[in-house]
């Protein structure tokens, strides 16, 4: 075979590869290291498209539709590969998008970080005991006491999309915002359930929000099962549920290693009515998890130590907007107990609490004003982190933020 023929053959093969790659829908260029639900795909239809005709063409069936949208969770035929069905349906003229029903995780589940449960028994006295909670070292530079002399977050509803909540924990007495919902079991009881790696995560996160904004109301929305995983379909439903039921802030201490179109659509539909705070991730990489990656819709948070040095596990990136302590935090744990835990999930909760304080001061504050206030009132940590300059955001300061909001 001549050299010219071999070159021509390689060139034609390259053209075929390029054309084949270009034909793939955007959501299936790769699944990274994340997993998805077997036997299911998620499809969004264009306006006016008929789901029955769509199903007939692809041998799919409706499992569930997100109310008020053309987004569907579909079952695929037995034996069919999810990737193949996503490619096939994504090329349908009636499909706005098609993709797997991804499994999201909290950064701590992804990192295999675990809570250290405090075995001591301490009487709960709101605002005072346990002292390891109300007076923990992480608060030293945040001026929370001074901020709470002005605002405690009264009247603000904070949705926590997570593993649920220990409703019987004394920290949350009188602080639940209804309605609540469990999207895993499809009922109205989002209790933080034992038996898996994610147990206690939602209770711990909610406890830190309650620490920062003690008079705010917590709306627990359970999307993560005992295995610590939650699907993109359920998360999208929870985001819309929170916005539809009066939440002013949503805490998103979870992430995916790539964009998810279903959640992207949910964020786009609600971001002007609810403030969303999301975790950057615990991979110690120059990256941000999704949905924190959506800088125009969410506020991305990473972790520093109590002395403002980047946490060893914390992701870093120029698009991260803020940071907060996230190392050895102390918070509520199911069974009326308390625990110590580390991760960007918990730094995120600290910022969510700050947003609640600010909205109590100015209920009309929009997303742009809240972003500016949190960022501009924060302390620079660049001098202490020269290798991560401009990639950690500013470290929150509750009192400075409240004063800045009052001055607007």
């Amino acid at each position: 075979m001549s050299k010219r023929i071999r070159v021509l053959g390689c060139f034609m093969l390259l053209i075929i590869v390029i054309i084949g790659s270009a034909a793939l829908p955007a959501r299936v260029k790769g699944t990274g290291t994340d997993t998805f639900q077997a036997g299911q795909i998620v499809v969004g239809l264009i306006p006016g498209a008929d789901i029955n005709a769509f199903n007939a063409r692809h041998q799919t069936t409706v499992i569930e539709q997100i109310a008020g949208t053309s987004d569907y969770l579909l079952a695929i035929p037995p034996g069919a590969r999810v990737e193949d069905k996503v490619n096939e349906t994504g090329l349908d003229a009636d499909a706005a998008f098609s993709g797997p029903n991804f499994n999201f995780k909290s950064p701590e589940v992804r990192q295999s970080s675990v809570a250290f449960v405090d075995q001591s028994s301490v009487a709960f006295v709101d605002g005072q005991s346990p002292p390891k909670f109300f007076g923990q070292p992480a608060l030293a530079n945040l001026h929370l006491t001074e901020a709470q002399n002005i605002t405690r977050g009264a009247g603000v509803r904070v949705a926590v999309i997570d593993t649920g909540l220990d409703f019987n924990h004394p920290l949350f007495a009188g602080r639940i915002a209804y309605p609540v919902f469990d999207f895993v079991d499809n009922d109205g009881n989002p209790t933080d359930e034992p038996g898996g790696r994610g147990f206690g995560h939602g209770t711990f996160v909610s406890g830190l929000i309650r620490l920062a904004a003690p008079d705010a109301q917590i709306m627990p929305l359970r999307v993560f099962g005992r295995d610590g995983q939650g699907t993109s379909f359920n998360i999208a439903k929870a985001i819309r549920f929170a916005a539809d039921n009066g939440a002013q802030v949503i805490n998103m201490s979870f992430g995916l290693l790539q964009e998810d179109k279903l959640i992207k659509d949910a964020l786009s539909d609600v971001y002007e009515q609810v403030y969303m705070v999301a975790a950057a991730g615990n991979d110690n990489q120059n990256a941000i998890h999704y949905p924190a990656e959506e800088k125009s819709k969410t506020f991305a948070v990473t972790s520093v130590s109590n002395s403002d040095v980047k946490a060893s596990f914390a992701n870093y990136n120029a698009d991260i907007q803020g940071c907060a302590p996230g190392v050895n935090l102390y918070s509520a744990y199911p069974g009326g107990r308390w625990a110590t835990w580390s991760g960007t999930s918990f730094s995120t909760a600290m910022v969510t609490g700050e947003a609640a304080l600010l909205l109590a001061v100015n209920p009309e504050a929009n997303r742009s004003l809240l972003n500016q206030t949190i960022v501009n009132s924060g302390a620079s940590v660049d001098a202490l982190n020269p290798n991560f300059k401009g990639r950690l955001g500013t470290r929150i300061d509750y009192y400075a933020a409240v004063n800045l909001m009052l001055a607007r």
Side-chain angles (χ1 to χ4, degrees):
M1 183 183 296
S2 71
K3 179 178 180 182
R4 180 180 179 184
I5 293 174
R6 288 198 302 270
V7 171
L8 179 60
C10 291
F11 178 75
M12 292 303 296
L13 179 60
L14 177 62
I15 293 295
I16 291 170
V17 170
I18 291 173
I19 292 173
S21 298
L24 296 180
R27 290 194 63 195
V28 285
K29 288 181 179 177
T31 55
T33 60
D34 288 298
T35 60
F36 44 77
Q37 293 290 301
Q40 300 178 357
I41 61 171
V42 173
V43 171
L45 298 188
I46 64 173
D50 183 350
I51 185 60
N52 294 318
F54 185 91
N55 283 333
R57 288 195 294 274
H58 302 291
Q59 297 80 52
T60 51
T61 55
V62 173
I63 299 173
E64 189 176 354
Q65 178 183 7
I66 297 181
T69 75
S70 295
D71 297 339
Y72 294 87
L73 179 63
L74 303 180
I76 62 176
R81 294 177 70 247
V82 169
E83 299 94 323
D84 294 339
K85 216 63 181 176
V86 166
N87 286 340
E88 173 193 323
T89 55
L91 295 173
D92 192 301
D94 284 345
F97 67 85
S98 177
N101 189 16
F102 281 113
N103 292 321
F104 277 67
K105 305 173 185 177
S106 73
E108 291 67 45
V109 169
R110 187 182 299 282
Q111 183 198 23
S112 297
S113 168
V114 296
F116 294 91
V117 181
D118 191 342
Q119 300 302 323
S120 61
S121 178
V122 182
F124 176 75
V125 180
D126 200 4
Q128 300 178 45
S129 180
K132 287 197 289 186
F133 176 65
F134 291 105
Q136 57 188 297
L139 301 177
N141 296 326
L142 307 187
H143 304 108
L144 179 60
T145 300
E146 296 92 329
Q148 289 179 351
N149 287 332
I150 301 171
T151 171
R152 291 166 55 86
V156 178
R157 295 164 68 88
V158 180
V160 180
I161 299 177
D162 215 295
T163 63
L165 185 76
D166 175 6
F167 284 81
N168 295 319
H169 199 290
L171 183 62
F172 305 111
R175 292 292 184 270
I176 306 299
Y178 291 93
V180 301
F181 202 77
D182 185 334
F183 293 90
V184 179
D185 294 334
N186 200 32
D187 60 36
N189 180 23
T191 296
D192 207 335
E193 295 185 357
R197 294 194 301 159
F199 179 53
H201 193 272
T203 298
F204 196 95
V205 164
S206 297
L208 293 170
I209 297 169
R210 171 83 165 78
L211 174 66
D215 290 346
Q217 300 286 303
I218 304 295
M219 178 191 292
L221 302 175
R222 181 174 179 252
V223 299
F224 294 96
R226 290 184 175 91
D227 59 358
Q229 295 188 144
T231 67
S232 51
F233 194 81
N234 280 345
I235 291 172
K237 287 196 298 179
I239 291 169
R240 294 178 183 278
F241 181 96
D244 290 343
N245 287 280
Q248 291 138 287
V249 189
I250 301 178
N251 188 92
M252 298 179 172
S253 291
F254 52 81
L256 190 71
L257 299 178
Q258 67 183 79
E259 178 183 298
D260 182 276
K261 185 63 169 64
L262 186 69
I263 292 178
K264 185 182 183 72
D265 284 355
L267 299 179
S268 296
D269 286 346
V270 309
Y271 80 99
E272 292 184 339
Q273 67 186 96
V274 59
Y275 191 70
M276 295 178 283
V277 187
N282 294 359
D283 311 299
N284 189 30
Q285 293 181 358
N286 185 11
I288 309 179
H289 285 185
Y290 195 85
E293 185 184 37
E294 284 282 353
K295 186 178 179 180
S296 64
K297 307 293 188 301
T298 67
F299 189 95
V301 181
T302 195
S303 294
V304 292
S305 70
N306 297 343
S307 56
D308 290 343
V309 175
K310 188 190 88 69
S312 61
F313 52 80
N315 283 355
Y316 50 94
N317 190 270
D319 286 336
I320 289 174
Q321 294 143 291
C323 60
V327 180
N328 294 329
L329 297 183
Y330 192 87
S331 187
Y333 196 76
R337 295 174 294 174
W338 304 85
T340 300
W341 215 338
S342 299
T344 57
S345 286
F346 314 128
S347 303
T348 301
M350 303 287 272
V351 177
T352 293
E354 180 178 21
L357 294 178
L358 296 175
L359 283 166
V361 169
N362 182 0
E364 303 303 317
N366 60 22
R367 180 182 173 279
S368 177
L369 180 56
L370 288 167
N371 279 358
Q372 293 173 24
T373 303
I374 295 172
V375 170
N376 293 340
S377 64
S380 174
V381 296
D382 284 349
L384 293 169
N385 300 276
N387 293 332
F388 305 99
K389 184 177 180 179
R391 292 182 287 176
L392 299 175
T394 58
R395 193 259 299 141
I396 63 170
D397 185 313
Y398 292 116
Y399 186 56
V402 169
N403 279 326
L404 185 56
M405 182 61 79
L406 289 170
R408 297 289 186 177

